[in-house]
Amino acid sequence: MTNSYVNKYYMTEVDVKSDSIYCHHAVMGEEFISEHDHQKGQFLYTEGGMVFLKTAEKSYFLPARHYIWIPAGIKHSIHPSSPEVIMRNLYFPTFDTDDDFFTHVGIYPVNDLLMELIMYTNRWNGNILPTDTKNYTIAKSFKLLLPELSSSNLSLSLPYPKNTKLREMVTYLEEHIAELVSFKELANMFHFSERTLARLFQKDLGMSFIQYYTILRMLTALKYLLNDKMSVQQVASRVGYSSLPTFSNTFYKIVGVRPSEYVKSKESII
């Protein structure tokens, strides 16, 4: 079953019929799906764990109650937090009605309506052809509704540093995530002036140090909340926050829900 999932369906089946909408629901069964791409855009929702998705430029973090849209032609690999993760995939051809929403990788929270639609797709498997008018119309409507149901593209991604020194700094931040490392301390530690380092972050990563550091801490918090089953207070401390309200507010800005709400939502998913 594992070999069938990893080596067969997404490589050989998805794009065989260019006008079909392809549907696939399955337990992951593997620790990763190697780099590949599709001629169709991919809607990916997961249950039972966090998924990491890597492209040439960024690493994306897909937590519970969120989905990721992957445009056609984007090479990506998929790394679940465990082989027991359930993946729900819908692959769509390009429609004349598609807008700019479908040209960018994006991670979006799943509301109750979208969850009902996702569960409805569980009855489908394989190709849905235009000749199957009823199901094809419903599946196409699913895609058309995504921009309306997905107002906030969350910043659940981090770019890869190109600069060697910057990679060393990022590794240091990851390894000392429980400590609050100031920008000044980081600059001194790696023998940069603050002004030069600020320019390096902006030029190499397209964001400031504080933006990168904040997202890194929140993504690490997501992993702790999902896998280690620690309390919100413990998680806040593990990612360097002494103030629970500050942690909760920051988490909300990045993830779109409070950490306590996130814990409840993931526990309610079978």
Side-chain angles (χ1 to χ4, degrees), residues 2-145:
T2 295
N3 288 336
S4 175
Y5 188 92
V6 175
N7 297 326
K8 195 171 182 181
Y9 105 84
Y10 73 96
M11 287 292 194
T12 63
E13 304 296 325
V14 171
D15 294 322
V16 169
K17 298 184 182 296
S18 61
D19 60 346
S20 76
I21 296 170
Y22 193 90
C23 184
H24 186 82
H25 302 263
V27 175
M28 178 70 187
E30 275 288 341
E31 294 184 357
F32 77 99
I33 289 179
S34 58
E35 187 178 67
H36 63 285
D37 61 0
H38 312 285
Q39 296 171 22
K40 297 174 180 176
Q42 180 178 0
F43 171 96
L44 169 61
Y45 177 80
T46 65
E47 300 168 8
M50 178 181 285
V51 164
F52 307 89
L53 184 139
K54 297 181 180 180
T55 67
E57 297 182 347
K58 287 187 178 183
S59 179
Y60 295 86
F61 299 75
L62 180 62
R65 286 295 284 213
H66 291 74
Y67 79 87
I68 187 168
W69 174 260
I70 308 164
I74 297 292
K75 288 187 178 294
H76 59 281
S77 58
I78 300 173
H79 310 252
S81 57
S82 80
E84 286 73 44
V85 169
I86 296 172
M87 299 178 68
R88 303 190 181 278
N89 296 281
L90 284 168
Y91 300 86
F92 297 93
T94 301
F95 299 130
D96 293 338
T97 51
D98 287 355
D99 58 22
D100 188 61
F101 174 90
F102 297 106
T103 64
H104 304 286
V105 177
I107 293 176
Y108 305 90
V110 171
N111 60 21
D112 291 341
L113 174 56
L114 187 52
M115 179 60 71
E116 290 294 327
L117 293 172
I118 293 170
M119 291 301 103
Y120 184 89
T121 70
N122 195 43
R123 67 191 67 194
W124 297 327
N125 188 49
N127 289 301
I128 305 172
L129 297 169
T131 51
D132 182 358
T133 307
K134 177 185 174 182
N135 287 330
Y136 194 85
T137 300
I138 295 171
K140 183 176 180 179
S141 297
F142 182 103
K143 181 183 181 183
L144 293 176
L145 282 169

Side-chain angles (χ1 to χ4, degrees), residues 154-266:
L154 301 180
S155 301
L156 299 178
S157 64
L158 284 174
Y160 296 125
K162 302 177 186 67
N163 182 278
T164 302
K165 275 291 183 183
L166 202 54
R167 284 200 296 269
E168 292 177 11
M169 291 181 214
V170 167
T171 299
Y172 179 85
L173 292 173
E174 291 171 347
E175 292 174 349
H176 296 80
I177 199 70
E179 305 167 18
L180 180 57
V181 180
S182 72
F183 184 63
K184 183 176 181 179
E185 290 171 337
L186 189 68
N188 290 338
M189 193 179 308
F190 287 89
H191 310 292
F192 279 86
S193 70
E194 292 180 53
R195 187 174 182 179
T196 300
L197 185 55
R199 287 177 176 173
L200 181 58
F201 261 90
Q202 198 64 53
K203 180 180 179 181
D204 193 301
L205 300 174
M207 62 179 68
S208 68
F209 164 78
I210 193 63
Q211 288 173 315
Y212 187 94
Y213 192 32
T214 300
I215 295 172
L216 175 64
R217 294 163 85 187
M218 292 306 104
L219 295 179
T220 305
L222 276 170
K223 289 188 280 187
Y224 287 147
L225 288 170
L226 186 64
N227 295 327
D228 293 351
K229 299 181 180 178
M230 295 185 289
S231 70
V232 174
Q233 178 74 61
Q234 289 172 316
V235 170
S237 178
R238 285 284 292 271
V239 294
Y241 283 83
S242 57
S243 167
L244 184 56
T246 300
F247 169 71
S248 180
N249 289 337
T250 306
F251 189 95
Y252 179 79
K253 289 178 183 177
I254 301 298
V255 182
V257 296
R258 299 284 177 185
S260 56
E261 295 170 350
Y262 174 75
V263 171
K264 289 179 182 177
S265 70
K266 77 179 181 63

